[in-house]
Amino acid sequence: MLFRSPGDSSVRRLTSGSNRNRNTDADFSWKHFFPQKGRILTVQGTASFDHGEPDNNYFQTVLTDTITADLNERDRTINNNTNYNFSADYEHPIGDDRKIEAGYKSTFRDFDADFHFDRLGLLGYENDTNRTNHFIYSDQLQAAYAQFKQAIGKFGYQIGLRSEYATTESNLITTDSVFHKDYFSLFPSAFLTYKPSMKSSLKATYSRRINRPRRNALNPFPNYDDPQNVRIGNPALDPEYTDSYELEFMHIFEKFTLTTTGYARVTKDNIQRYRLVDTTNITTTTWANLASAGNYGAEFIINGNPFKWWTLTLSSNIYYNVLNATNIQDRKSTRLNSSHIPL
């Protein structure tokens, strides 16, 4: 990597690394079929344990008109990740055209990242306490859902509701900083289908979903792998919620099937990477919740067999995206004295 630093100088930074991983997984599954046809209870459990030790070595040379300076650095991380999942799902038919489904899910996750950064000095490699950190993240999720399905002639519908309670805790041990969040959410869903014939169908759907920030996006300790481009997490990140609406039409022709879907997805607290450039041209990339985001479009898919030896699939997606980041600009633009670029 070669880049310009402030002033009349150039910096060349070479990186080499390796990674050692050890993974252990365990799964459990049990299914019970009741005497009534279609009445089923399914219980599943999983446990995973991951251990990783990535190492990196950095050799940096600063070139100016009068001096050449070399810098040797290295880092090592010890990662331990534990994940437990348990779920139970129950299906209960009511007659031939109705069904009730319900379930419960529990998740426990722990992530421990112990990061050490060293710089080569006169007496060998010495630990740089300003770039060494220990980050522990844990979360718990308890969720329950219920949904009802029914078919009435050419029509069919399904309605459902999922409730979720989650807690998260980010602990930056290096600075004794603890960030705790908990939230309760409801996720309704609805599906309506109409089949006027064996060759045509129309489906309308609505659902609400959640996307939680990844743990690396929450770690508030800066990453200096590239001193000119610093990466840092944001422990104040909230999950994003998306309301999705879709209308789909499908028709089977003699040799082709046409599927047309119109959709609208509106996201609140949209999670995006966020870049800040300070007055010394140091770039810091972090994460932020934008006020909202919208994705609107239509998708067209044609597939079929025009000849016995030829399977054809054509698809096209026309969409329009919009981001609303006024909350970021209003809150930060004057305070940081930097330029801000949502990515």
Side-chain angles (χ1 to χ4, degrees):
M1 178 185 297
L2 182 65
F3 54 87
R4 299 291 299 179
S5 62
D8 295 329
S9 62
S10 297
V11 177
R12 183 185 299 275
R13 187 175 178 87
L14 303 177
T15 303
S16 64
S18 63
N19 192 5
R20 295 177 294 277
N21 288 294
R22 183 176 67 250
N23 304 315
T24 304
D25 298 302
D27 299 288
F28 166 79
S29 180
W30 176 77
K31 183 174 289 190
H32 177 70
F33 295 89
F34 294 89
Q36 180 184 0
K37 182 181 179 181
R39 186 181 173 195
I40 305 171
L41 174 64
T42 304
V43 178
Q44 292 181 314
T46 63
S48 63
F49 310 91
D50 300 328
H51 176 83
E53 297 183 14
D55 298 327
N56 293 291
N57 294 279
Y58 310 97
F59 180 75
Q60 180 172 300
T61 301
V62 180
L63 307 174
T64 67
D65 295 335
T66 59
I67 191 173
T68 299
D70 293 331
L71 178 66
N72 288 329
E73 300 170 325
R74 69 183 185 187
D75 66 46
R76 181 188 182 194
T77 307
I78 301 176
N79 292 325
N80 288 292
N81 186 17
T82 304
N83 193 337
Y84 299 97
N85 291 282
F86 171 82
S87 64
D89 299 282
Y90 176 68
E91 301 179 30
H92 189 111
I94 305 174
D96 296 330
D97 57 1
R98 289 176 291 173
K99 179 190 286 191
I100 295 176
E101 298 180 3
Y104 170 79
K105 183 176 181 180
S106 180
T107 300
F108 298 86
R109 299 187 302 178
D110 292 286
F111 176 74
D112 188 321
D114 195 358
F115 178 78
H116 294 269
F117 193 92
D118 302 324
R119 178 177 283 118
L120 184 62
L122 296 177
L123 301 177
Y125 277 100
E126 301 174 353
N127 181 247
D128 186 344
T129 57
N130 292 324
R131 297 190 181 184
T132 296
N133 85 97
H134 190 182
F135 179 68
I136 296 177
Y137 171 82
S138 63
D139 63 22
Q140 299 182 18
L141 171 67
Q142 311 297 327
Y145 77 91
Q147 59 188 28
F148 177 77
K149 299 178 181 179
Q150 184 176 16
I152 306 174
K154 296 181 179 181
F155 290 90
Y157 71 92
Q158 174 182 309
I159 56 174
L161 181 65
R162 172 185 169 92
S163 64
E164 178 180 297
Y165 176 73
T167 63
T168 65
E169 183 172 284
S170 304
N171 186 357
L172 186 58
I173 296 178
T174 309
T175 59
D176 193 23
S177 302
V178 178
F179 306 89
H180 181 85
K181 280 182 175 289
D182 56 11
Y183 47 90
F184 176 78
S185 307
L186 292 175
F187 303 94
S189 62
F191 302 82
L192 176 64
T193 60
Y194 173 61
K195 293 184 177 182
S197 69
M198 295 297 295
K199 293 186 176 182
S200 297
S201 67
L202 183 66
K203 180 170 66 174
T205 66
Y206 163 76
S207 63
R208 189 170 192 248
R209 299 175 182 174
I210 185 173
N211 178 35
R212 302 173 191 85
R214 294 174 296 178
R215 57 178 178 261
N216 291 337
L218 297 170
N219 189 345
F221 200 88
N223 183 310
Y224 295 98
D225 288 352
D226 180 351
Q228 295 296 116
N229 297 278
V230 181
R231 301 191 305 274
I232 182 171
N234 178 7
L237 275 179
D238 291 319
E240 63 179 24
Y241 296 87
T242 300
D243 291 286
S244 297
Y245 308 84
E246 293 188 3
L247 182 62
E248 177 188 294
F249 173 75
M250 187 271 292
H251 185 78
I252 302 175
F253 296 91
E254 183 178 354
K255 293 185 177 182
F256 296 94
T257 298
L258 170 65
T259 304
T260 304
T261 305
Y263 58 85
R265 303 182 182 107
V266 181
T267 301
K268 179 184 177 183
D269 293 327
N270 179 241
I271 298 174
Q272 290 281 346
R273 285 185 298 172
Y274 192 67
R275 180 175 295 167
L276 306 96
V277 183
D278 65 18
T279 54
T280 62
N281 291 326
I282 300 294
T283 299
T284 299
T285 301
T286 185
W287 298 84
N289 288 111
L290 307 190
S292 63
N295 178 230
Y296 312 91
E299 184 177 33
F300 307 90
I301 301 176
I302 299 175
N303 54 58
N305 298 91
F307 304 100
K308 292 183 178 180
W309 49 269
W310 187 11
T311 298
L312 175 67
T313 299
L314 299 174
S315 64
S316 176
N317 191 3
I318 303 172
Y319 62 89
Y320 172 72
N321 287 335
V322 57
L323 295 176
N324 179 0
T326 54
N327 61 314
I328 302 293
Q329 297 293 339
D330 293 343
R331 185 171 70 250
K332 294 183 176 181
S333 58
T334 57
R335 178 166 56 90
L336 291 174
N337 191 28
S338 306
S339 59
H340 314 283
I341 310 171
L343 301 181

